[in-house]
Each structure stands twice: as C-alpha cells, then as structure tokens.
Amino acid sequence: MASVSAAQVALIIDDIGYRQTDKAVLSLPSGVTLSVLPHTPIGAELARQAHAKGHEIMMHLPMQALNGKKLGPGGLTNQQDETQIKQEVTSALASIPFVKGVNNHMGSLLTQIEQSMNWVMQALKQHQLYFVDSITTKYSTAGKQADIIGVPMLKRQLFLDNDTKEAALEQQFRLMITKAHQGGHLVAIAHPYPETIKFLTENLPRLEQEGINLVPPSALLPYQLPKKQKLSPEVQL
C-alpha cells in the first residue's frame, strides 16, 4: 500500500489525439495523467476511455511559439483579442470530455505576453480548471497571471523524453526520482512516443520500490511552488 508520506510524482503524457498509436497510453498505470490536444481525430474517444480507467484528463492547449511552428486547431496567438482567446479556450474544452486542468502545447511566445495569459487564466477560472505551465520559455508570465486571477497552478520541472534513446530515458528517469525525493513532489512531462511508452511500461514499477507515489497533478495543487521561487536552470528551457 502506498505511503501517505512518500514522495509524489505527477507524470503527464502530452500531445495525445492525432495518431492511432497514441492509444498505447491506455496500457499505462491509471496514475499517469493524459493531456489531450483539442479538436483531434481520436482525442475525445481516448479521453473517455482513459477516464473510465481512472486517468486524470488534461487539455494540451496549443499556444504560439517563437519558432512560428504551426499550431493546429484551437491554437492561441498574439493576434487574438480577449473575446477570441476566451472563445477558443471554451471551444477547445468542449472537444474533450472530463478535463480537470490545462497545460500549454509550445507557447514560448504567447506565455510571455501578460495580457494574453491573463485572458487565458480568466477562461480557466470560469471553468474551474488548474493550469500546469510546461515552461517552454524561462520568461513565461503564466504563473504571475494565474496568481492574479486565482487559478491553481503547477510548473513542469522535468522533461523525460527530449531524447528517446534508452540510456537518455534512464538518465532522466533517475533524475526524476532524485528530484522527487529532494523536493517531496515533482511534475514531469513525457510524450506518447513508442520508445517512451515501452520504457515507462517496464520502469514505472520502480517508483513504488523507490517510495514514490504516482499521482495526478490535482493532488499536487496544495504544494504549489512559492510565488517568488526561481526555477532552477535545468527547468528554464
């Protein structure tokens, strides 16, 4: 039985909804959280199936990046006004059932814009959702605006699979364990790559052996980072 005093890890799998191979995430333990892209071919179906298995569901909301990469449907840009942003958020949420929280897909440009993020947070507040800042830029203003509007928020502290080679995944997995013990809790993000799913299937049981509980992000909201705490350099991507 999991210890109440154990360290806690919230592991979020992003970018779900386009590929049939994304269905492999349903084989992962229910403690893994799934973040689904809006208006995608199989996003709603996967969200329903995952919710039935006990997974917490998030929406992976596309936001404008500095590199100009295409956003896909539901994307938020710096050209949109307050009404457009709020309508896009509401429409995106309507496309995915059982959403408890939101994190940004890309967003290295938009998350720097205070006014845009203020509007996003107002929309999330209206729907009573939490926000996880994926930290795609160290200049993100999401945390500040979440505090102003009163949206519960967490910050991504580790990317698990920027490199999907097994040695790299193992290195990040060990780092995740170390950081979870050091801080008591940690938010990590991974993706539905076949290499990642295979690695997690084989290695997630190690967390319990390490005295770490796998929990949804909502379980970590009481432990929000102090508002003025600086992110460590390895988090500033």
Side-chain angles (χ1 to χ4, degrees), residues 14-228:
D14 278 352
D15 294 350
I16 293 169
Y18 278 107
R19 299 162 299 272
Q20 290 295 319
T21 53
D22 292 351
K23 292 180 179 179
V25 299
L26 295 172
S27 67
L28 295 173
S30 61
V32 174
T33 298
L34 307 182
S35 192
V36 182
L37 289 158
H39 310 295
T40 46
I42 62 171
E45 174 194 351
L46 266 177
R48 280 191 290 269
Q49 292 176 351
H51 173 77
K53 291 188 66 179
H55 295 272
E56 185 156 293
I57 305 301
M58 295 178 64
M59 179 173 72
H60 198 36
L61 185 60
M63 297 186 190
Q64 189 175 4
L66 288 165
N67 62 13
K69 189 175 179 183
K70 186 179 177 183
L71 285 175
L76 306 182
T77 76
N78 63 349
Q79 301 300 311
Q80 294 167 340
D81 61 20
E82 178 178 2
T83 299
Q84 290 171 316
I85 280 184
K86 291 181 176 179
Q87 285 177 344
E88 285 287 3
V89 172
T90 298
S91 174
L93 287 168
S95 75
I96 307 167
F98 306 113
V99 170
K100 297 291 187 185
V102 171
N103 70 330
N104 53 296
H105 173 54
M106 303 190 292
S108 53
L109 188 154
L110 197 79
T111 57
Q112 295 190 47
I113 303 173
E114 293 198 359
Q115 183 63 81
S116 297
M117 293 313 297
N118 186 278
W119 294 334
V120 171
M121 294 305 163
Q122 287 183 45
L124 299 188
K125 177 76 169 179
Q126 181 181 355
H127 292 279
Q128 297 182 303
L129 301 171
Y130 65 79
F131 185 75
V132 175
D133 192 344
S134 302
I135 310 290
T136 55
T137 170
K138 64 181 179 180
Y139 303 111
S140 174
T141 64
K144 176 183 176 183
Q145 296 307 315
D147 287 340
I148 289 171
I149 301 301
V151 172
M153 202 196 85
L154 300 164
K155 294 179 173 73
R156 188 272 309 161
Q157 294 155 277
L158 182 137
F159 277 125
L160 191 68
D161 56 357
N162 282 341
D163 184 339
T164 58
K165 290 194 284 293
E166 186 165 6
L169 289 167
E170 174 63 24
Q171 182 177 3
Q172 288 301 97
F173 195 80
R174 288 182 182 176
L175 183 60
M176 181 175 74
I177 289 170
T178 299
K179 285 180 168 289
H181 283 307
Q182 288 173 344
H185 39 82
L186 179 137
V187 178
I189 287 177
H191 303 84
Y193 307 133
E195 300 92 338
T196 301
I197 301 299
K198 179 177 183 292
F199 181 87
L200 291 175
T201 300
E202 294 171 354
N203 289 281
L204 280 176
R206 289 164 56 188
L207 293 183
E208 185 175 358
Q209 296 164 16
E210 291 279 351
I212 295 173
N213 292 340
L214 196 58
V215 300
S218 59
L220 297 186
L221 293 175
Y223 309 105
Q224 292 179 72
L225 292 174
K227 292 175 182 154
K228 295 185 179 179

